[in-house]
Amino acid sequence: LREFWRAMLAELLGSLVFVSAVLGASVPGPGEASTGPLYPALAAGMVAVALGHCFGEISGAQVNPAVTLSLLATRRLDLVRALVYVGAQCLGASLGAGALYFALPLKTTADCFVSKVPLEVNAAQALGMELLSTFQLVFTVFSVEDHRRREYTEPGNLAIGFSLSAGVLIGGRFSGGSMNPARSLGPAIITGFWENHWVYWIGPVLGAVLAGVSHEFFFAPSASRQKLVACLTCKDIEMVEATSVSRSSLSTVTQTAMRAKQVNKQEQN
């Protein structure tokens, strides 16, 4: 139970730090023009790497309801924990946005960190950009986690940071490149701006779930039809994964033995 609440607090604090860092990079200084998506992209990527090191072993440093819901959809997370995490992420994002708002020298600059659809883009186009940006981010997250489960030494936090920065650069001029419903919710609560807010929930959540499902059941080394059926029928996925891994290992051993026999025959001849 202690570990559960510790993980919840990690998600709350992580979301607070993440949102305040990204929003702080989005706000221009007094007399400055808008800097575009470059500064928020760099801030998002760097703070994601830092949070991965700080809270990765505690809660996974998800700090994003879309990521959490994708883990729930692929049954990597149970329902109660997922709901608590989403609540903590939204609360942390609101506290982060509120702290930054009260720290701003000019309150009017708060409009710069609100997620909104530009006038040149319609809501459907912004939805598509959020879906695409979040898809590539969450697919990277699942790939990194899969490598970690197999004890690879790849610097996974760095890959996630790069993917997050790329997502902000992809969607920054068309939808704001939020990819995170909590990051959009916090400023909306503080400023009261709710126009097209649904875009920043449906787009990221749909993109995240599609990425998680496609990786787990089509691209992961343990992907199989049996695993997909187990997920849809609420059976034990880990047991199916263990069976598929043992089969693949057995197949590898068999192939190696057959090659050794062929080599021995050739040497005898």
Side-chain angles (χ1 to χ4, degrees):
L1 186 61
R2 178 177 176 273
E3 293 299 322
F4 176 81
W5 293 111
R6 186 164 166 256
M8 185 207 71
L9 289 175
E11 286 298 304
L12 189 152
L13 180 59
S15 297
L16 189 156
V17 171
F18 177 80
V19 170
S20 59
V22 174
L23 298 186
S26 305
V27 178
E32 293 182 357
S34 177
T35 56
L38 179 59
Y39 287 176
L42 293 175
M46 289 188 286
V47 76
V49 173
L51 291 175
H53 284 285
C54 293
F55 302 124
E57 297 296 326
I58 301 174
S59 66
Q62 299 167 29
V63 299
N64 186 337
V67 174
T68 302
L69 293 175
S70 68
L71 292 170
L72 174 64
T74 54
R75 297 181 59 198
R76 293 290 177 189
L77 207 62
D78 62 84
L79 179 61
V80 174
R81 187 177 289 266
L83 292 177
V84 170
Y85 278 11
V86 170
Q89 291 158 0
C90 292
L91 177 59
S94 301
L95 292 175
L100 184 65
Y101 178 77
F102 288 114
L104 289 175
L106 297 174
K107 304 304 182 186
T108 54
T109 57
D111 292 338
C112 296
F113 60 66
V114 175
S115 296
K116 51 187 172 184
V117 179
L119 295 176
E120 302 81 8
V121 179
N122 60 46
Q125 292 169 326
L127 179 72
M129 292 305 299
E130 286 296 312
L131 191 154
L132 175 63
S133 302
T134 311
F135 182 94
Q136 61 86 29
L137 168 64
V138 176
F139 197 92
T140 304
V141 170
F142 271 77
S143 179
V144 166
E145 289 303 313
D146 186 62
H147 280 68
R148 283 174 178 165
R149 288 199 296 268
R150 289 183 279 136
E151 299 182 355
Y152 279 32
T153 57
E154 179 186 356
N157 291 333
L158 207 56
I160 294 174
F162 282 143
S163 179
L164 187 57
S165 294
V168 177
L169 292 173
I170 290 169
R173 292 183 175 85
F174 304 99
S175 64
S178 172
M179 300 177 286
N180 187 333
R183 175 256 179 270
S184 299
L185 179 66
I189 291 175
I190 297 301
T191 63
F193 185 87
W194 296 96
E195 187 177 354
N196 293 318
H197 184 71
W198 58 272
V199 167
Y200 301 98
W201 280 88
I202 295 178
V205 170
L206 186 57
V209 171
L210 287 175
V213 170
S214 62
H215 181 274
E216 285 296 294
F217 303 122
F218 296 99
F219 292 99
S222 60
S224 65
R225 183 172 59 85
Q226 291 80 5
K227 185 178 174 182
L228 177 59
V229 171
C231 180
L232 295 175
T233 56
C234 298
K235 293 182 180 178
D236 192 345
I237 292 181
E238 293 183 358
M239 186 177 296
V240 174
E241 283 184 331
T243 302
S244 64
V245 169
S246 62
R247 284 177 180 172
S248 62
S249 300
L250 181 61
S251 175
T252 303
V253 170
T254 304
Q255 291 174 8
T256 304
M258 290 177 65
R259 291 194 191 102
K261 286 181 180 180
Q262 291 176 355
V263 171
N264 289 334
K265 285 182 181 180
Q266 291 175 358
E267 289 178 350
Q268 290 173 2
N269 295 332

Short mmCIF file of all heavy atoms in Angstrom, two decimals, residues 116-156:
data_model
loop_
_atom_site.label_atom_id
_atom_site.label_comp_id
_atom_site.label_asym_id
_atom_site.label_seq_id
_atom_site.Cartn_x
_atom_site.Cartn_y
_atom_site.Cartn_z
N LYS A 116 -4.64 25.42 -27.93
CA LYS A 116 -5.77 25.86 -28.74
C LYS A 116 -5.48 25.64 -30.21
O LYS A 116 -4.32 25.61 -30.64
CB LYS A 116 -6.09 27.33 -28.48
CG LYS A 116 -4.91 28.28 -28.58
CD LYS A 116 -5.32 29.68 -28.13
CE LYS A 116 -4.12 30.60 -28.02
NZ LYS A 116 -4.50 31.93 -27.50
N VAL A 117 -6.54 25.47 -30.97
CA VAL A 117 -6.44 25.21 -32.40
C VAL A 117 -6.20 26.54 -33.11
O VAL A 117 -6.99 27.47 -32.94
CB VAL A 117 -7.71 24.54 -32.94
CG1 VAL A 117 -7.62 24.30 -34.44
CG2 VAL A 117 -7.97 23.22 -32.21
N PRO A 118 -5.13 26.69 -33.90
CA PRO A 118 -4.88 27.94 -34.62
C PRO A 118 -6.02 28.27 -35.60
O PRO A 118 -6.75 27.38 -36.04
CB PRO A 118 -3.58 27.66 -35.39
CG PRO A 118 -2.93 26.54 -34.64
CD PRO A 118 -4.06 25.70 -34.11
N LEU A 119 -6.15 29.55 -35.93
CA LEU A 119 -7.22 29.97 -36.82
C LEU A 119 -7.09 29.35 -38.21
O LEU A 119 -8.09 29.12 -38.89
CB LEU A 119 -7.20 31.51 -36.94
CG LEU A 119 -7.50 32.30 -35.65
CD1 LEU A 119 -7.35 33.79 -35.90
CD2 LEU A 119 -8.90 31.97 -35.16
N GLU A 120 -5.87 29.09 -38.66
CA GLU A 120 -5.65 28.53 -40.01
C GLU A 120 -5.94 27.04 -40.08
O GLU A 120 -5.92 26.44 -41.16
CB GLU A 120 -4.21 28.77 -40.46
CG GLU A 120 -3.79 30.24 -40.49
CD GLU A 120 -3.40 30.75 -39.12
OE1 GLU A 120 -3.31 29.92 -38.17
OE2 GLU A 120 -3.21 31.98 -38.97
N VAL A 121 -6.19 26.40 -38.94
CA VAL A 121 -6.39 24.94 -38.87
C VAL A 121 -7.75 24.67 -38.25
O VAL A 121 -8.19 25.37 -37.33
CB VAL A 121 -5.28 24.30 -38.01
CG1 VAL A 121 -5.48 22.79 -37.89
CG2 VAL A 121 -3.91 24.62 -38.58
N ASN A 122 -8.45 23.65 -38.77
CA ASN A 122 -9.72 23.28 -38.15
C ASN A 122 -9.50 22.21 -37.09
O ASN A 122 -8.42 21.63 -36.97
CB ASN A 122 -10.75 22.83 -39.20
CG ASN A 122 -10.28 21.62 -39.99
OD1 ASN A 122 -9.77 20.65 -39.43
ND2 ASN A 122 -10.44 21.66 -41.31
N ALA A 123 -10.55 21.93 -36.33
CA ALA A 123 -10.43 21.01 -35.20
C ALA A 123 -10.06 19.60 -35.65
O ALA A 123 -9.29 18.90 -34.98
CB ALA A 123 -11.74 20.98 -34.41
N ALA A 124 -10.59 19.15 -36.80
CA ALA A 124 -10.29 17.81 -37.29
C ALA A 124 -8.81 17.66 -37.64
O ALA A 124 -8.19 16.63 -37.36
CB ALA A 124 -11.15 17.49 -38.51
N GLN A 125 -8.23 18.70 -38.24
CA GLN A 125 -6.81 18.66 -38.58
C GLN A 125 -5.94 18.65 -37.32
O GLN A 125 -4.95 17.92 -37.24
CB GLN A 125 -6.46 19.85 -39.47
CG GLN A 125 -7.08 19.79 -40.85
CD GLN A 125 -6.93 21.09 -41.61
OE1 GLN A 125 -6.95 22.18 -41.04
NE2 GLN A 125 -6.80 21.00 -42.93
N ALA A 126 -6.33 19.46 -36.34
CA ALA A 126 -5.59 19.47 -35.07
C ALA A 126 -5.70 18.12 -34.37
O ALA A 126 -4.72 17.63 -33.79
CB ALA A 126 -6.13 20.57 -34.17
N LEU A 127 -6.87 17.51 -34.45
CA LEU A 127 -7.07 16.17 -33.87
C LEU A 127 -6.12 15.17 -34.52
O LEU A 127 -5.49 14.35 -33.84
CB LEU A 127 -8.52 15.74 -34.07
CG LEU A 127 -8.90 14.35 -33.54
CD1 LEU A 127 -8.93 14.35 -32.02
CD2 LEU A 127 -10.26 13.92 -34.08
N GLY A 128 -6.01 15.24 -35.85
CA GLY A 128 -5.12 14.33 -36.56
C GLY A 128 -3.66 14.52 -36.17
O GLY A 128 -2.92 13.55 -36.01
N MET A 129 -3.24 15.77 -35.98
CA MET A 129 -1.86 16.04 -35.59
C MET A 129 -1.58 15.53 -34.18
O MET A 129 -0.50 14.98 -33.91
CB MET A 129 -1.57 17.53 -35.68
CG MET A 129 -1.56 18.10 -37.09
SD MET A 129 -0.43 17.22 -38.20
CE MET A 129 1.14 17.50 -37.39
N GLU A 130 -2.54 15.71 -33.28
CA GLU A 130 -2.36 15.19 -31.92
C GLU A 130 -2.30 13.67 -31.92
O GLU A 130 -1.50 13.07 -31.20
CB GLU A 130 -3.51 15.68 -31.02
CG GLU A 130 -3.42 17.13 -30.64
CD GLU A 130 -2.21 17.45 -29.78
OE1 GLU A 130 -1.96 16.71 -28.80
OE2 GLU A 130 -1.48 18.40 -30.10
N LEU A 131 -3.13 13.05 -32.74
CA LEU A 131 -3.12 11.59 -32.84
C LEU A 131 -1.77 11.09 -33.36
O LEU A 131 -1.17 10.17 -32.79
CB LEU A 131 -4.26 11.13 -33.74
CG LEU A 131 -4.61 9.64 -33.76
CD1 LEU A 131 -6.08 9.44 -34.14
CD2 LEU A 131 -3.73 8.86 -34.74
N LEU A 132 -1.28 11.70 -34.43
CA LEU A 132 -0.02 11.28 -35.03
C LEU A 132 1.15 11.50 -34.08
O LEU A 132 2.00 10.61 -33.90
CB LEU A 132 0.22 12.05 -36.33
CG LEU A 132 1.56 11.83 -37.04
CD1 LEU A 132 1.69 10.38 -37.48
CD2 LEU A 132 1.71 12.78 -38.23
N SER A 133 1.20 12.67 -33.46
CA SER A 133 2.31 12.98 -32.55
C SER A 133 2.33 12.04 -31.36
O SER A 133 3.39 11.55 -30.95
CB SER A 133 2.20 14.43 -32.07
OG SER A 133 2.20 15.34 -33.15
N THR A 134 1.15 11.78 -30.80
CA THR A 134 1.08 10.90 -29.63
C THR A 134 1.37 9.46 -30.00
O THR A 134 1.97 8.72 -29.22
CB THR A 134 -0.31 11.00 -28.97
OG1 THR A 134 -0.65 12.38 -28.79
CG2 THR A 134 -0.30 10.32 -27.61
N PHE A 135 0.97 9.05 -31.20
CA PHE A 135 1.23 7.68 -31.64
C PHE A 135 2.73 7.39 -31.64
O PHE A 135 3.18 6.38 -31.08
CB PHE A 135 0.66 7.46 -33.03
CG PHE A 135 0.83 6.04 -33.54
CD1 PHE A 135 -0.16 5.10 -33.36
CD2 PHE A 135 2.00 5.66 -34.19
CE1 PHE A 135 -0.01 3.80 -33.81
CE2 PHE A 135 2.18 4.36 -34.64
CZ PHE A 135 1.17 3.43 -34.45
N GLN A 136 3.52 8.27 -32.24
CA GLN A 136 4.96 8.01 -32.31
C GLN A 136 5.61 8.08 -30.92
O GLN A 136 6.56 7.34 -30.63
CB GLN A 136 5.64 8.97 -33.30
CG GLN A 136 5.54 10.44 -32.99
CD GLN A 136 6.63 10.94 -32.06
OE1 GLN A 136 7.73 10.39 -32.06
NE2 GLN A 136 6.34 11.95 -31.27
N LEU A 137 5.09 8.93 -30.05
CA LEU A 137 5.62 9.01 -28.69
C LEU A 137 5.35 7.73 -27.91
O LEU A 137 6.26 7.13 -27.32
CB LEU A 137 5.00 10.21 -27.96
CG LEU A 137 5.24 10.26 -26.44
CD1 LEU A 137 6.73 10.41 -26.13
CD2 LEU A 137 4.43 11.40 -25.81
N VAL A 138 4.09 7.28 -27.89
CA VAL A 138 3.72 6.12 -27.09
C VAL A 138 4.30 4.83 -27.68
O VAL A 138 4.66 3.91 -26.94
CB VAL A 138 2.19 6.04 -26.94
CG1 VAL A 138 1.77 4.78 -26.20
CG2 VAL A 138 1.68 7.27 -26.20
N PHE A 139 4.43 4.76 -28.99
CA PHE A 139 5.06 3.59 -29.60
C PHE A 139 6.52 3.49 -29.12
O PHE A 139 7.01 2.39 -28.83
CB PHE A 139 5.02 3.68 -31.12
CG PHE A 139 5.29 2.38 -31.81
CD1 PHE A 139 4.24 1.54 -32.16
CD2 PHE A 139 6.58 1.98 -32.10
CE1 PHE A 139 4.48 0.33 -32.79
CE2 PHE A 139 6.84 0.77 -32.73
CZ PHE A 139 5.78 -0.06 -33.07
N THR A 140 7.19 4.64 -29.01
CA THR A 140 8.55 4.65 -28.48
C THR A 140 8.58 4.22 -27.02
O THR A 140 9.45 3.46 -26.59
CB THR A 140 9.16 6.06 -28.61
OG1 THR A 140 9.11 6.47 -29.97
CG2 THR A 140 10.59 6.09 -28.12
N VAL A 141 7.61 4.69 -26.23
CA VAL A 141 7.53 4.31 -24.81
C VAL A 141 7.39 2.80 -24.67
O VAL A 141 8.09 2.16 -23.87
CB VAL A 141 6.36 5.04 -24.12
CG1 VAL A 141 6.13 4.46 -22.72
CG2 VAL A 141 6.62 6.53 -24.04
N PHE A 142 6.50 2.19 -25.44
CA PHE A 142 6.29 0.75 -25.36
C PHE A 142 7.53 -0.01 -25.82
O PHE A 142 7.89 -1.04 -25.25
CB PHE A 142 5.08 0.34 -26.19
CG PHE A 142 3.79 0.39 -25.43
CD1 PHE A 142 3.16 1.59 -25.17
CD2 PHE A 142 3.20 -0.78 -24.97
CE1 PHE A 142 1.98 1.65 -24.46
CE2 PHE A 142 2.01 -0.74 -24.26
CZ PHE A 142 1.40 0.48 -23.99
N SER A 143 8.19 0.49 -26.86
CA SER A 143 9.39 -0.16 -27.35
C SER A 143 10.50 -0.12 -26.30
O SER A 143 11.20 -1.12 -26.08
CB SER A 143 9.86 0.52 -28.63
OG SER A 143 11.05 -0.07 -29.11
N VAL A 144 10.66 1.02 -25.64
CA VAL A 144 11.67 1.16 -24.59
C VAL A 144 11.37 0.21 -23.43
O VAL A 144 12.27 -0.46 -22.91
CB VAL A 144 11.73 2.62 -24.10
CG1 VAL A 144 12.51 2.73 -22.79
CG2 VAL A 144 12.37 3.50 -25.15
N GLU A 145 10.11 0.14 -23.02
CA GLU A 145 9.74 -0.76 -21.92
C GLU A 145 9.98 -2.21 -22.29
O GLU A 145 10.38 -3.03 -21.46
CB GLU A 145 8.27 -0.54 -21.53
CG GLU A 145 8.01 0.78 -20.82
CD GLU A 145 8.86 0.93 -19.57
OE1 GLU A 145 8.93 -0.03 -18.77
OE2 GLU A 145 9.46 2.00 -19.40
N ASP A 146 9.73 -2.56 -23.55
CA ASP A 146 9.97 -3.93 -24.00
C ASP A 146 11.46 -4.26 -23.95
O ASP A 146 11.86 -5.36 -23.55
CB ASP A 146 9.43 -4.10 -25.42
CG ASP A 146 9.52 -5.54 -25.89
OD1 ASP A 146 8.88 -6.41 -25.27
OD2 ASP A 146 10.24 -5.80 -26.87
N HIS A 147 12.30 -3.31 -24.33
CA HIS A 147 13.74 -3.51 -24.26
C HIS A 147 14.20 -3.65 -22.81
O HIS A 147 15.08 -4.46 -22.50
CB HIS A 147 14.48 -2.35 -24.92
CG HIS A 147 14.54 -2.44 -26.41
ND1 HIS A 147 13.42 -2.30 -27.20
CD2 HIS A 147 15.58 -2.68 -27.26
CE1 HIS A 147 13.77 -2.46 -28.47
NE2 HIS A 147 15.06 -2.67 -28.54
N ARG A 148 13.60 -2.86 -21.92
CA ARG A 148 13.98 -2.95 -20.51
C ARG A 148 13.61 -4.30 -19.91
O ARG A 148 14.34 -4.84 -19.08
CB ARG A 148 13.29 -1.82 -19.72
CG ARG A 148 13.94 -0.46 -19.91
CD ARG A 148 13.13 0.61 -19.23
NE ARG A 148 13.77 1.92 -19.38
CZ ARG A 148 13.17 3.08 -19.14
NH1 ARG A 148 11.90 3.09 -18.75
NH2 ARG A 148 13.81 4.21 -19.30
N ARG A 149 12.45 -4.83 -20.31
CA ARG A 149 12.04 -6.14 -19.79
C ARG A 149 13.00 -7.23 -20.22
O ARG A 149 13.16 -8.23 -19.53
CB ARG A 149 10.62 -6.48 -20.27
CG ARG A 149 9.53 -5.67 -19.59
CD ARG A 149 8.17 -6.34 -19.74
NE ARG A 149 7.76 -6.42 -21.12
CZ ARG A 149 7.03 -5.50 -21.73
NH1 ARG A 149 6.66 -4.42 -21.07
NH2 ARG A 149 6.68 -5.64 -23.00
N ARG A 150 13.64 -7.03 -21.37
CA ARG A 150 14.62 -8.02 -21.84
C ARG A 150 16.04 -7.65 -21.46
O ARG A 150 17.00 -8.19 -21.99
CB ARG A 150 14.49 -8.16 -23.37
CG ARG A 150 13.20 -8.86 -23.77
CD ARG A 150 13.12 -9.07 -25.27
NE ARG A 150 12.66 -7.86 -25.95
CZ ARG A 150 13.20 -7.37 -27.06
NH1 ARG A 150 14.24 -7.97 -27.60
NH2 ARG A 150 12.73 -6.29 -27.62
N GLU A 151 16.16 -6.68 -20.51
CA GLU A 151 17.44 -6.31 -19.91
C GLU A 151 18.44 -5.80 -20.94
O GLU A 151 19.63 -6.11 -20.89
CB GLU A 151 18.03 -7.48 -19.12
CG GLU A 151 17.13 -7.93 -17.97
CD GLU A 151 17.74 -9.07 -17.17
OE1 GLU A 151 18.81 -9.56 -17.56
OE2 GLU A 151 17.14 -9.45 -16.17
N TYR A 152 17.97 -5.01 -21.86
CA TYR A 152 18.88 -4.36 -22.80
C TYR A 152 19.49 -3.13 -22.11
O TYR A 152 18.90 -2.56 -21.21
CB TYR A 152 18.15 -3.92 -24.07
CG TYR A 152 17.94 -5.04 -25.06
CD1 TYR A 152 17.75 -6.34 -24.64
CD2 TYR A 152 17.91 -4.77 -26.42
CE1 TYR A 152 17.55 -7.36 -25.55
CE2 TYR A 152 17.70 -5.79 -27.35
CZ TYR A 152 17.52 -7.08 -26.90
OH TYR A 152 17.31 -8.07 -27.80
N THR A 153 20.65 -2.72 -22.56
CA THR A 153 21.33 -1.56 -21.96
C THR A 153 21.10 -0.28 -22.75
O THR A 153 21.83 0.69 -22.60
CB THR A 153 22.85 -1.84 -21.88
OG1 THR A 153 23.34 -2.12 -23.20
CG2 THR A 153 23.13 -3.01 -20.95
N GLU A 154 20.09 -0.28 -23.60
CA GLU A 154 19.80 0.91 -24.41
C GLU A 154 19.38 2.08 -23.52
O GLU A 154 18.60 1.89 -22.58
CB GLU A 154 18.69 0.59 -25.40
CG GLU A 154 18.29 1.76 -26.29
CD GLU A 154 17.10 1.43 -27.16
OE1 GLU A 154 16.64 0.30 -27.13
OE2 GLU A 154 16.63 2.34 -27.86
N PRO A 155 19.85 3.31 -23.78
CA PRO A 155 19.44 4.47 -22.98
C PRO A 155 18.00 4.89 -23.30
O PRO A 155 17.76 5.82 -24.06
CB PRO A 155 20.45 5.56 -23.38
CG PRO A 155 20.86 5.18 -24.77
CD PRO A 155 20.82 3.68 -24.82
N GLY A 156 17.06 4.17 -22.73
CA GLY A 156 15.65 4.34 -23.10
C GLY A 156 15.09 5.71 -22.81
O GLY A 156 14.30 6.24 -23.59
#
